[in-house]
Every structure is written in structure tokens, then in C-alpha cells.
Amino acid sequence: MPLYETVMQEKPPVVLDIGTAYTKLGFAAEAYPRKIIPTEYISSANGESKKLFNYETLQEFYDQMVDFLQMIFFKYLLVSPKDRKIVIVENVYGQTVIRETLAKVLFRHYEVASVLYVPSHMIALSTLAVPNGVIVDMGYAETTVMPVFSGVQIMQAFQDQKYGGRDIHEVLKCLLLKEGIDSHLLTEEVLEDIKVRTCFITKLSRAHAYAENNPPQAPPDVQYPIADKAIITVPGHVREEAFEIFFEENNDRDSLPHLILKAILGCPLDVRRILCENIFVVGGSSIVMGLLPRLKEELQYLVANDKEYQKRLHGDIIFKFHKCLGRANIAAWLGASLCASTDLVNSRSLTKEAYMRFERVPDWICLDDNRVNG
């Protein structure tokens, strides 16, 4: 029998990580996504490009999802979705309407064989082959923190806040407008490129100096060309201050270091030290120079000087961070790709027959879906 008849007998599952800003897509057992595209669709009605999650009615969202998946399957992956297995990365606290609509489109419109939803935090941790950790997901719309111990998510300790890449763009735009730069030049694409190419996170000592109105010597300015339109100057203090939104102190104590400590303190006493030594930062907004050293400085500073944390975290606490395999923005997709190459895609997926029988997607919060048989 020819080799290709055995190796290619079964179609490889498609792996999708649909985020607020970008979508990663590819196949199982691959180390990198085939494509990373904006989470936008081209309307089949008028040909306009729109954000996927901007909708008013469920029917409108359904139609948008059909157009979006058609673009993924037939333009980028170049495969027929019929009778193919799909693995989807999702936030465990994501909206039910999104997962239900996505399943409805896949099963009814594209007639896929099965769909497997995998939790983003735990599947990202699986790339490290470690059972314990605090996963910090810094996305475009929000930042979430989920502790995992022995491969089980500690749901009651989950923390999240509505700041992410979108808020960094807003802060960066405000800072550049104060420098007299024309607002028409500062599009979303330009702001993102400036953020990635020029900005960084400063040290804790310099951040304290800025907070005390005693700014230190600023880093060098950067000349940034915007296509053929103009060349703008990005001041050094703007490069240094753009990401401070993650570390701002306020009465709600909801900065990123506080979120991590709250998540750890929400776990049982005997697992806290292990979690402190296994922090894993992922997400597109985490790809910035200086994040992990600053985060470690902030955590050590709070444990040493904050009375609340001194009372509840005893002994010499040392915070340690894992390094990502590959880029941090594809960690969850990579974990799903590994998962899709195992037998889990056969044993844990929702099949087309099961979906057609019940017309719903099983959910972990529903007791009927988690009842022990027998």
C-alpha cells in the first residue's frame, strides 16, 4: 500500500483561536499557525470589512460568523470543512452566545464532523508540560488570571480586568496628541505598530520617580515614518509611559500585580507557594520588552511592603516565571494544536450527531451536562 494512503487517511483537525483583535488558524500537530488574521469579515452583502463581534441581533451575528469562517476555510486554509474535526480555543468564562452560534454555524452550515472546545488558560499551560501555574492572559480587550493546580482550574480564584491592548492604544494616542501630532495619522494600525516597535516597560524605580513628579532622564526619541504621509517623533517618555496602565495604583487595587496576588490568595493555603513559583504570562499584549522583570519587581515589592499581603503570604516568597515555547501570543493556539493531535479530539469532542439531537453545546456550568452516569 502506498505511504500516502496510510499517513493521509484521516484529515488533520483544524485549530482556531478566535480573539477579539486577531484570529490564529492552522492544523493539528503544527508548531505555528498557518495564518494570523484580524478578527474581521468581508460582508457577502456589500463587500465591506467589519469587526466580527460588532453585531446587533443574533441573526446578524450568525451571518457574520458564516462569512468569517468561509474566509478562513476557503481563502486561508484552502480546505473543505465538511466532515472535518474542529478544535476551538475559548475563554472558560466566555459568552455562551458566541460558543452556541459558532457551533450552530459549524454543524448546520458547514457540516463539520465534531467540535472540541478547550479552555484557553489550561491549554496554554499544557505547552510547558507542567501541572501547576498561574496563567496571566494579556489580550486586546481584557487581562485575565487563572490559577491551575494538578491540571485543574481553580475557578473561584479567577481574576480579570478590562484593560489590554486596546487601552494601551488609547493611552498612546492621548500621549502623542499632547505632543502635537495630527490625530488623522494615528490610526489603529499605526498605534499598534508604534507600540510594538518603540515602546517598552520601565523599571520600578523609574516608575516611582514619574509618580512623584520627579521624572528621570528620558530615553532617546524615535523617528517613526508613517507610509509616505509623514515622519513623526515618538518622545522617550511616551515610549516609557504607554504600558504604565497595567501598574497604576488605585483604591480598587486592580493593577496587574494585584490581580496575580489576589488570584494566588484565592487558592488553598498549601498550593500558594507552588503557584508563586510557576507564573506563565501569555497573550499578544505581553510581547513587550521589560514586562517580566518589572512584574517580578512589583510582586516582590508588594509582598515586602503591603500589610495585607504580609499577613497572608508567609516566609520568603520568590516569584518565578516560565518562558513561552515560541511567541507568547500563540501559546494557547499551540496548546490546542498539541491537544488536537492526541486521542482527546476523538473522546472529548461534541459530534454532529450529538449536537443535532440536543441542539445545544454542553457547558461546564450546567449540572445536567456534568452529571455522573450510573
Coordinates of all heavy atoms in Angstrom, one line a residue, residues 100-101 103-104 107-108 350-362:
E100 N -22.4 29.1 21.3 CA -23.5 28.4 20.7 C -23.7 28.8 19.2 O -24.0 27.9 18.3 CB -24.8 28.9 21.4 CG -24.9 28.3 22.8 CD -25.3 26.9 22.9 OE1 -25.7 26.3 21.8 OE2 -25.4 26.3 23.9
T101 N -23.5 30.1 18.9 CA -23.5 30.5 17.5 C -22.4 29.8 16.6 O -22.7 29.4 15.5 CB -23.5 32.0 17.4 OG1 -24.5 32.6 18.2 CG2 -23.6 32.5 15.9
A103 N -21.0 27.0 17.2 CA -21.3 25.6 16.9 C -22.4 25.4 15.9 O -22.4 24.5 15.1 CB -21.7 24.9 18.3
K104 N -23.4 26.3 16.0 CA -24.5 26.2 15.0 C -24.1 26.4 13.6 O -24.5 25.7 12.7 CB -25.6 27.3 15.4 CG -26.9 27.2 14.6 CD -27.9 28.2 15.1 CE -29.1 28.2 14.2 NZ -30.1 29.2 14.7
F107 N -21.9 23.2 12.5 CA -22.6 22.0 12.3 C -23.7 22.1 11.3 O -23.8 21.2 10.4 CB -23.2 21.5 13.7 CG -22.2 20.9 14.6 CD1 -22.1 21.4 15.9 CD2 -21.5 19.8 14.3 CE1 -21.2 20.9 16.8 CE2 -20.6 19.2 15.1 CZ -20.4 19.8 16.4
R108 N -24.4 23.2 11.3 CA -25.5 23.3 10.3 C -25.1 23.8 9.0 O -25.6 23.3 7.9 CB -26.6 24.1 10.9 CG -27.3 23.5 12.1 CD -28.6 24.2 12.4 NE -29.5 23.4 13.3 CZ -30.3 22.5 13.0 NH1 -30.4 22.1 11.7 NH2 -31.0 21.8 13.8
L350 N -17.6 17.2 20.7 CA -19.0 17.2 20.5 C -19.3 16.8 19.0 O -18.9 17.5 18.1 CB -19.6 18.5 20.8 CG -21.1 18.7 20.5 CD1 -22.0 17.8 21.4 CD2 -21.5 20.2 20.6
T351 N -19.9 15.6 18.8 CA -20.1 15.2 17.5 C -21.3 15.8 16.8 O -22.1 16.4 17.5 CB -20.3 13.6 17.4 OG1 -21.5 13.3 18.2 CG2 -19.1 12.9 18.1
K352 N -21.4 15.7 15.5 CA -22.5 16.3 14.8 C -23.8 15.6 15.2 O -24.8 16.3 15.3 CB -22.3 16.2 13.3 CG -23.4 16.7 12.4 CD -22.9 16.8 11.0 CE -22.5 15.5 10.4 NZ -22.2 15.6 9.0
E353 N -23.8 14.3 15.4 CA -25.0 13.6 15.7 C -25.5 14.0 17.1 O -26.7 14.2 17.3 CB -24.7 12.1 15.7 CG -24.5 11.5 14.4 CD -23.1 11.8 13.9 OE1 -22.2 12.2 14.7 OE2 -22.8 11.7 12.7
A354 N -24.6 14.2 18.1 CA -25.0 14.6 19.4 C -25.6 16.0 19.4 O -26.6 16.4 20.1 CB -23.8 14.5 20.4
Y355 N -25.0 16.9 18.6 CA -25.5 18.3 18.5 C -26.8 18.3 17.9 O -27.7 19.0 18.4 CB -24.5 19.2 17.8 CG -25.0 20.6 17.6 CD1 -24.8 21.5 18.7 CD2 -25.6 21.0 16.5 CE1 -25.3 22.8 18.5 CE2 -26.1 22.3 16.3 CZ -25.9 23.2 17.4 OH -26.4 24.5 17.3
M356 N -27.0 17.6 16.8 CA -28.3 17.6 16.2 C -29.4 17.0 17.1 O -30.6 17.4 16.9 CB -28.3 16.8 14.9 CG -27.4 17.4 13.8 SD -27.9 19.1 13.3 CE -26.7 19.5 12.1
R357 N -29.1 16.1 18.0 CA -30.0 15.5 18.9 C -30.5 16.5 20.0 O -31.7 16.6 20.3 CB -29.5 14.3 19.5 CG -30.5 13.5 20.3 CD -30.0 12.1 20.6 NE -28.8 12.0 21.4 CZ -27.6 11.6 20.9 NH1 -27.5 11.3 19.6 NH2 -26.6 11.6 21.7
F358 N -29.6 17.3 20.5 CA -29.9 18.2 21.7 C -30.0 19.6 21.3 O -30.5 20.4 22.1 CB -28.9 18.0 22.8 CG -28.9 16.6 23.4 CD1 -27.8 15.7 23.1 CD2 -29.9 16.1 24.2 CE1 -27.8 14.4 23.6 CE2 -29.9 14.9 24.7 CZ -28.8 14.0 24.4
E359 N -29.4 20.0 20.1 CA -29.4 21.4 19.7 C -28.8 22.4 20.7 O -29.2 23.5 20.8 CB -30.9 21.9 19.4 CG -31.5 21.2 18.2 CD -30.9 21.7 16.9 OE1 -30.4 22.9 16.9 OE2 -31.0 21.0 15.9
R360 N -27.8 22.0 21.4 CA -27.1 22.8 22.3 C -25.7 22.3 22.5 O -25.4 21.1 22.3 CB -27.8 23.0 23.6 CG -28.0 21.7 24.4 CD -28.8 21.9 25.6 NE -28.1 22.7 26.6 CZ -27.2 22.3 27.4 NH1 -26.9 21.0 27.5 NH2 -26.6 23.1 28.2
V361 N -24.8 23.2 23.1 CA -23.4 22.8 23.4 C -23.3 22.5 24.9 O -23.7 23.4 25.7 CB -22.4 23.9 23.0 CG1 -21.0 23.5 23.3 CG2 -22.6 24.2 21.5
P362 N -22.8 21.4 25.3 CA -22.7 21.1 26.8 C -21.8 22.2 27.4 O -20.8 22.6 26.8 CB -22.0 19.7 26.8 CG -22.4 19.1 25.5 CD -22.5 20.2 24.5

